[in-house]
Amino acid sequence: MGLFSNQFANVVEWEEYRDDVIFWKWTNREIKKDSKLIIKPGQDAIFLYNGAVEGIFTESGSYTIDSQIIPFLSTLKGFKFGFNSGLRAEVLFVNTKEFTCNWGTSSPIRLQAPGLPGGLPVRSNGKFSFKIDDYNVLIEKIAGIKQQFTVDDIRDRIRGILDGLLMKWITKVGGDVFNLMANATDVAKGIREDLDMELLGIGITITDFRISEFTYPENIQKRADQAAEYSMIGDMNKFQQVNMVDSMAKGGHGESVGSNAASMANAMVGMQMGVAMANQMSGAMNQMSGGATQTTGGAAPKFCPNCGTPTNGAKFCGNCGAKLI
């Protein structure tokens, strides 16, 4: 009777494959004669025996274990000839692709900023990519105690240190805290290097790290936008005029205020317009008065500018005595 003649052949493969799983372990079952090892594209298969790596197979395809796989393994060579029962070994299937996933700050990062004693609360988000770098380290640190390892496991590990790295590199790079995107490339490069050093300890390398945006509280963002408008216009009077024109345009199109704060803002704009118009009218009247005095050619006005009494061509007012010429 041939070896394992009474035993059914089985298949060693990654069952219930998921795209977000970094590795999956085939375990706690006997490998029998005529069993097949199936390696799908994008996978590597690592044979483990008593916790040690016996062989790594990277070519996709279907292989007969006793005739095509075992002869290439060191410790397991006796499997083909000397065992009268199946052999309990583990096969670790590794996803060889590069993984890309989103990241985001878990809480606002408070950065030092002028005029903000409590700091400027900033959030950020983006994407990062990683892949397995060292199988031996991965097996020693992770695969030895886990059945599988997922992208979420990596994301959770990064989330615990990412906020601190952001603060570290934003402070180190420096620049205007209200315009962090100007230095986003340098900040992202520094974070990628630090994350790579962290994850190399479990056999994984960070291949890319990107910052998509920095976000500020709404009220802070409005102040920053206003400051930018001041800078672009360069003249406070012009800025006020632009505000008044914008408010008039909005009112002319029948847009609703929508809040008490907006109503107060509109009222203040109206007051500013009234004061500006009054000042303009006063200036115009003064110019007209001065112009009229200059164009009289020395003749007395018809009415006293001080009390309004008819002058009848006199040089002094008969009522108040004011000089008329």
Side-chain angles (χ1 to χ4, degrees):
M1 181 179 292
L3 184 65
F4 305 131
S5 59
N6 294 325
Q7 295 179 341
F8 293 103
N10 57 12
V11 177
V12 179
E13 65 176 332
W14 187 339
E15 301 168 348
E16 300 180 2
Y17 172 81
R18 283 169 40 193
D19 196 51
D20 66 327
V21 174
I22 300 170
F23 70 73
W24 178 83
K25 188 187 300 182
W26 187 96
T27 186
N28 293 327
R29 281 170 286 179
E30 292 182 342
I31 298 177
K32 304 177 178 64
K33 179 179 173 60
D34 295 329
S35 293
K36 297 289 186 181
L37 171 66
I38 297 178
I39 305 176
K40 298 174 183 176
Q43 298 177 2
D44 285 353
I46 304 175
F47 269 74
L48 303 173
Y49 184 60
N50 290 334
V53 175
E54 294 296 336
I56 300 175
F57 302 90
T58 61
E59 296 293 330
S60 61
S62 178
Y63 303 91
T64 302
I65 290 180
D66 63 321
S67 61
Q68 294 179 280
I69 299 298
I70 297 301
F72 294 96
L73 304 181
S74 57
T75 306
L76 301 184
K77 287 181 179 179
F79 171 60
K80 181 177 180 181
F81 304 104
F83 290 99
N84 294 319
S85 62
L87 177 70
R88 289 192 177 276
E90 296 177 329
V91 180
L92 187 69
F93 288 93
V94 176
N95 193 333
T96 61
K97 75 172 186 178
E98 182 181 74
F99 297 88
T100 298
C101 55
N102 300 323
W103 65 266
T105 49
S106 57
S107 59
I109 304 169
R110 292 193 171 272
L111 304 175
Q112 293 183 354
L116 295 173
L120 176 65
V122 177
R123 290 184 178 273
S124 185
N125 60 72
K127 294 180 181 294
F128 70 94
S129 301
F130 66 92
K131 64 179 181 179
I132 296 177
D133 179 71
D134 190 323
Y135 287 162
N136 289 320
V137 174
L138 181 72
I139 292 168
E140 178 185 356
K141 300 294 185 180
I142 303 294
I145 58 176
K146 282 183 173 288
Q147 177 70 24
Q148 68 178 23
F149 200 53
T150 69
V151 170
D152 284 341
D153 292 322
I154 294 294
R155 187 185 286 112
D156 290 342
R157 183 179 289 263
I158 286 178
R159 186 180 292 119
I161 61 174
L162 187 56
D163 290 3
L165 291 179
L166 272 167
M167 179 173 289
K168 168 187 172 181
W169 282 99
I170 289 173
T171 303
K172 182 174 290 189
V173 171
D176 182 6
V177 295
F178 293 99
N179 191 24
L180 294 175
M181 285 305 297
N183 297 315
T185 300
D186 292 334
V187 173
K189 180 181 178 182
I191 293 175
R192 187 193 70 78
E193 292 173 353
D194 281 355
L195 284 179
D196 191 47
M197 291 298 296
E198 177 73 19
L199 294 182
L200 282 176
I202 60 172
I204 289 175
T205 183
I206 296 290
T207 57
D208 191 31
F209 186 90
R210 297 180 184 272
I211 297 174
S212 298
E213 64 176 351
F214 290 99
T215 59
Y216 310 91
E218 185 176 355
N219 61 326
I220 298 294
Q221 186 62 54
K222 286 181 179 179
R223 290 183 183 181
D225 292 342
Q226 190 177 51
E229 291 179 358
Y230 286 156
S231 176
M232 287 187 294
I233 294 175
D235 187 297
M236 183 64 70
N237 290 330
K238 290 182 179 180
F239 181 77
Q240 291 176 345
Q241 292 172 8
V242 170
N243 269 346
M244 287 189 287
V245 171
D246 288 344
S247 299
M248 292 174 65
K250 291 179 180 179
H253 287 84
E255 294 185 6
S256 60
V257 175
S259 67
N260 291 333
S263 298
M264 292 177 64
N266 286 342
M268 292 179 65
V269 170
M271 292 174 64
Q272 291 175 354
M273 291 176 62
V275 171
M277 292 176 66
N279 289 337
Q280 291 176 359
M281 291 177 65
S282 176
M285 291 179 67
N286 289 335
Q287 290 178 1
M288 291 175 63
S289 176
T293 301
Q294 293 174 1
T295 58
T296 56
K302 293 182 179 182
F303 298 92
C304 175
N306 187 46
C307 66
T309 302
T311 63
N312 298 320
K315 294 183 179 181
F316 295 91
C317 177
N319 181 50
C320 67
K323 188 176 180 179
L324 302 175
I325 297 177

